[in-house]
């Protein structure tokens, strides 16, 4: 009996240890997403560390990076080599406040439906945006944890790391799916403006027809 009890306790402890080690925690790293915008697929890389993030993507001939510190500062870098253009749009306090006011305000309702997305065990959560009176399916996982800078503070209370989620942004429907995440160190200078960029406001950039 003692041997059976010891074996049972050992198995229980092993299972607990496995469960504890199965979840990977990231404090900084790189998350790669497949972003579908109106049927077009674009790869987006999110470099995150603490409250800072930098989302980089290639859109046609333009390399676009959006740098964000909490909800206090936003900078958009646009590099178009064929046009010999490098612009750095730094959001003014008023512009940042306006952008934040337009962000969705979600409430989340956990569901029981599950599926595996790119190797992540996910559960469906229904996110309802009270401002737009719209609901979206969000697939979250507990396989990993990371700062909200890796996916967006609006999902901080979704009940897990968002793996697949859809948003309406500036008139476009954007569906993001997490492809991979790593704990690689964020390269130095990721959250700063490189030399050679002309600075302007976000309003000026929009007037040029630049990045969104």
């Amino acid at each position: 009996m003692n041997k059976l009890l010891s074996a049972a306790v050992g198995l229980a402890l092993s299972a607990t240890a496995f469960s504890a080690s199965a979840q990977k925690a990231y404090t900084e790293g790189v998350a790669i997403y497949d972003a579908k915008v109106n049927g077009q697929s674009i790869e987006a890389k999110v470099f995150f560390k603490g409250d800072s993030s930098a989302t980089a993507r290639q859109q046609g001939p333009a390399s676009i990076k959006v740098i964000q510190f909490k909800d206090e500062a936003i900078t958009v870098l646009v590099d178009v080599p064929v046009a010999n253009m490098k612009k750095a749009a730094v959001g003014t306090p008023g512009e940042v406040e306006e952008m934040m006011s337009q962000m969705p305000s979600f409430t989340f309702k956990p569901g029981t439906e599950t599926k595996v997305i790119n190797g992540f065990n996910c559960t469906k959560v229904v996110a309802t945006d009270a401002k737009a009176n719209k609901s979206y399916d969000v697939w979250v996982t507990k396989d990993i944890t990371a700062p909200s800078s890796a996916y967006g503070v609006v999902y901080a209370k979704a009940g897990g790391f968002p793996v697949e989620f859809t948003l309406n942004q500036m008139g476009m429907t954007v569906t993001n799916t997490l492809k991979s995440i790593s704990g690689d160190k964020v390269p130095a200078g990721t959250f700063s403006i490189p030399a050679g960029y002309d600075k302007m406001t976000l309003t000026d950039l929009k007037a040029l027809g630049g990045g969104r």
Side-chain angles (χ1 to χ4, degrees), residues 189-204:
T190 296
F191 305 124
S192 60
I193 300 174
Y197 278 75
D198 299 324
K199 292 184 180 180
M200 58 177 56
T201 66
L202 290 171
T203 302
D204 292 336

Side-chain angles (χ1 to χ4, degrees), residues 29-128:
V30 183
I32 300 178
Y33 291 89
D34 175 50
K36 285 187 171 57
V37 185
N38 295 334
Q40 181 182 4
S41 184
I42 300 173
E43 183 177 271
K45 291 184 178 180
V46 180
F47 300 86
F48 62 91
K49 183 178 181 179
D51 294 324
S52 303
S53 69
T55 303
R57 70 180 190 270
Q58 189 72 31
Q59 194 163 322
S63 296
I64 300 172
K65 180 189 283 188
V66 180
I67 304 170
Q68 188 167 352
F69 302 95
K70 294 185 179 180
D71 56 356
E72 300 170 357
I74 296 174
T75 298
V76 179
L77 304 180
V78 180
D79 181 7
V80 188
V82 295
N84 195 28
M85 183 179 76
K86 290 186 176 183
K87 302 294 184 181
V90 181
T92 65
E95 289 173 330
V96 174
E97 183 178 358
E98 181 182 359
M99 289 182 68
M100 292 301 106
S101 69
Q102 294 175 358
M103 295 295 287
S105 178
F106 284 131
T107 56
F108 300 97
K109 183 179 180 180
T112 57
E113 189 175 347
T114 62
K115 69 177 178 178
V116 177
I117 303 174
N118 292 332
F120 300 102
N121 298 298
C122 300
T123 303
K124 187 170 79 172
V125 174
V126 177
T128 301

Side-chain angles (χ1 to χ4, degrees), residues 104 106 125-129 132 134-138 155 166-168:
F106 284 131
V125 174
V126 177
T128 301
D129 179 10
K134 291 184 177 180
S135 294
Y136 305 91
D137 291 342
V138 182
Y155 291 105
T166 301
L167 281 175
N168 274 326

